[in-house]
Amino acid sequence: MLRILLLLTSVLLSSAVHADYQFGFANTYFDYLSWKQGTQGYNGIDVSEDRDDHVTWGIEAGVTFDWGEAYGFMEAEKLDKSADVRSQAFKVSAHYRVADNWTVYGQVYDYSESGGYVDEQNRLLGLGYLGIASKTFWFKPFLGFHHVTSPFNDPFGDNISGFNGGMLGWNLGGFFSIGSADFMYTNWNEFEFARNDEYANYQNGDTGLNGAIALWYDLSKHVYVGVQYRYFSNKLGVDDYGDAIIWRIGAHF
């Protein structure tokens, strides 16, 4: 799986050299995450002490070419906490057109904590579609095979790494106005299914849900604010449903 994703990345980079640029953006931001629910971890373990509100700094960028599009972010989390409990995350994803609006879709998400409590990388390879879009709306679904790598074990001592079923997801968004104010809304969503037994034990079920709904507003040409409703189920160490609110202030490059 990793070799395939590396091959896909090299193809994307080589294609970009000869591609027609269409659109791009880059932002930096600070988030304040406020937990609202989801204090119960697997096997009924209370994880509320590990779910304190915290501050995150991040950068993100996206680009669209005629061959497709790519997106990525990097985040340093819990900056207001001691160094031994801070965490880091990055994600890269890409759609590569293979037949009109049908794409080969791949993504890599990596998360680790400084204290060594969590260290996990998720990889996905499958098909996507870019054909549902207008000037004010887009919906970009994907479906793929899921693979996970981690040194951690499930509650029974078995390692969770390996093929981990499938993932169905999407990225959607759009624009609307209230009076003279222009807003943007977005939603990313990932539904994991047919997990391996070890990962299912680790994350409380054969299926999992992960995503966020957000509203964005530009205060000026360079400064923007946003609020996200972050939701998850049988994910992030939470048994059943959990959620949080994320407040953001950021700057466009």
Side-chain angles (χ1 to χ4, degrees), residues 28-253:
T28 185
Y29 54 85
F30 282 97
D31 285 348
Y32 181 79
L33 186 148
S34 176
W35 296 99
K36 297 299 180 183
Q37 293 178 332
T39 61
Q40 296 302 311
Y42 60 84
N43 292 347
I45 299 173
D46 188 349
V47 297
S48 58
E49 292 185 359
D50 298 325
R51 297 299 168 95
D52 293 335
D53 296 359
H54 63 262
V55 174
T56 292
W57 170 77
I59 56 174
E60 65 175 353
V63 64
T64 300
F65 291 99
D66 55 357
W67 55 257
E69 60 186 40
Y71 169 79
F73 72 76
M74 295 187 296
E75 293 185 337
E77 302 177 346
K78 305 173 188 174
L79 296 180
D80 54 329
K81 308 297 180 183
S82 61
D84 59 339
V85 298
R86 293 176 184 171
S87 54
Q88 307 81 39
F90 78 81
K91 180 178 182 179
V92 292
S93 63
H95 284 271
Y96 185 80
R97 294 181 186 271
V98 292
D100 195 18
N101 288 312
W102 291 98
T103 69
V104 172
Y105 178 80
Q107 73 175 40
V108 177
Y109 176 78
D110 187 277
Y111 176 83
S112 61
E113 295 184 350
S114 299
Y117 303 108
V118 179
D119 185 359
E120 182 177 319
Q121 185 175 105
N122 289 262
R123 298 178 288 273
L124 182 79
L125 185 64
L127 296 175
Y129 188 70
L130 297 177
I132 307 174
S134 68
K135 292 183 178 179
T136 59
F137 175 79
W138 68 88
F139 176 66
K140 302 171 183 178
F142 60 85
L143 176 65
F145 296 103
H146 185 205
H147 189 273
V148 62
T149 301
S150 174
F152 289 91
N153 301 327
D154 70 8
F156 305 100
D158 297 317
N159 188 263
I160 64 176
S161 299
F163 174 71
N164 198 31
M167 180 185 294
L168 171 67
W170 61 77
N171 172 24
L172 70 81
F175 303 94
F176 68 96
S177 299
I178 299 178
S180 60
D182 297 324
F183 297 89
M184 180 176 71
Y185 63 90
T186 58
N187 170 228
W188 67 269
N189 189 89
E190 297 174 350
F191 177 70
E192 299 175 11
F193 57 92
R195 288 168 164 171
N196 68 53
D197 292 340
E198 294 76 20
Y199 199 86
N201 291 329
Y202 182 66
Q203 292 284 7
N204 316 294
D206 294 331
T207 62
L209 179 67
N210 200 21
I213 300 171
L215 181 66
W216 311 100
Y217 176 68
D218 283 342
L219 295 175
S220 68
K221 181 179 179 181
H222 297 291
V223 179
Y224 71 98
V225 294
V227 58
Q228 302 180 63
Y229 176 73
R230 183 76 168 85
Y231 58 85
F232 40 89
S233 181
N234 294 342
K235 192 70 176 177
L236 309 186
V238 171
D239 189 358
D240 201 19
Y241 189 79
D243 61 5
I245 299 294
I246 304 175
W247 304 92
R248 174 174 296 183
I249 183 168
H252 303 300
F253 290 128

Side-chain angles (χ1 to χ4, degrees), residues 5-23:
L5 285 170
L6 290 174
L7 177 61
L8 176 61
T9 300
S10 66
V11 171
L12 295 178
L13 292 175
S14 62
S15 298
V17 175
H18 306 287
D20 290 331
Y21 172 84
Q22 297 178 352
F23 173 76

